[in-house]
């Protein structure tokens, strides 16, 4: 977990360690993350980003207009440049979510429709 401001791009360096070589290196991830993983095969970082943005598709009961705190799965190279990104709503919103918008928006993070903490890579 990080305490970055999810409403802004951070570019903050994250330190990773290759468990085989014990080498540490810093990567400037564009956005705050709950979970990040280094691939020795591709020499890239996969991470679960969270940032303020609009939905890429309708996800009832949430609309595309307002800004929400939303997660995406991101792969970036070791310079921090995004290779690809998959917004959560592209795979998680194929039918209306079984939640009440009013209940979610009463939470402390009132603009965060869901909260993902990890991904199995």
């Amino acid at each position: 977990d990080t305490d970055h401001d999810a409403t802004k791009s951070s570019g903050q360096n994250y330190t990773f360690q290759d468990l085989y070589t014990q080498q540490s290196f810093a990567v400037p991830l564009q956005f705050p993350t709950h979970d990040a993983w280094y691939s020795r095969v591709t020499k890239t970082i996969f991470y679960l980003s969270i940032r303020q943005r609009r939905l890429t598709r309708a996800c009832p009961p949430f609309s595309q207009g307002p800004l929400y705190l939303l997660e995406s799965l991101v792969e970036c190279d070791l310079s921090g440049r995004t290779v690809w990104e998959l917004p959560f709503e592209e795979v998680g919103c194929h039918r209306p979510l079984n939640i009440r918008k009013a209940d979610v928006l009463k939470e402390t993070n009132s603009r965060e429709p869901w909260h993902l903490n990890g991904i199995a890579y």
Side-chain angles (χ1 to χ4, degrees), residues 41-81:
V41 175
T42 60
K43 303 282 192 259
T44 57
I45 304 292
F46 291 89
Y47 72 102
L48 190 58
S49 76
I50 182 167
R51 68 178 182 269
Q52 190 174 44
R53 62 177 175 80
R54 288 179 173 76
L55 289 165
T56 59
R57 64 183 292 163
C59 193
F62 304 98
S63 63
Q64 287 180 276
L67 290 173
Y68 297 104
L69 287 175
L70 298 170
E71 286 89 353
S72 294
L73 179 61
V74 179
E75 180 181 16
C76 70
D77 62 22
L78 297 183
S79 70
R81 184 183 60 80

Side-chain angles (χ1 to χ4, degrees), residues 1-14 16 27-36 45-53 69-74 85 109 112 115-117 121:
D1 250 1
T2 64
D3 41 353
H4 288 153
D5 183 347
T7 63
K8 300 175 184 161
S9 174
S10 69
Q12 174 116 5
N13 284 334
Y14 289 78
F16 292 88
V27 178
L29 300 183
Q30 279 188 303
F31 299 101
T33 181
H34 287 294
D35 189 38
I45 304 292
F46 291 89
Y47 72 102
L48 190 58
S49 76
I50 182 167
R51 68 178 182 269
Q52 190 174 44
R53 62 177 175 80
L69 287 175
L70 298 170
E71 286 89 353
S72 294
L73 179 61
V74 179
E85 178 177 357
N109 242 342
E112 188 174 2
H115 187 90
L116 306 176
N117 271 324
Y121 295 98

Side-chain angles (χ1 to χ4, degrees), residues 57-60 86-97 114:
R57 64 183 292 163
C59 193
L86 178 64
F88 172 75
E89 64 271 17
E90 292 296 324
V91 295
C93 291
H94 295 289
R95 59 185 178 172
L97 299 175
W114 45 82

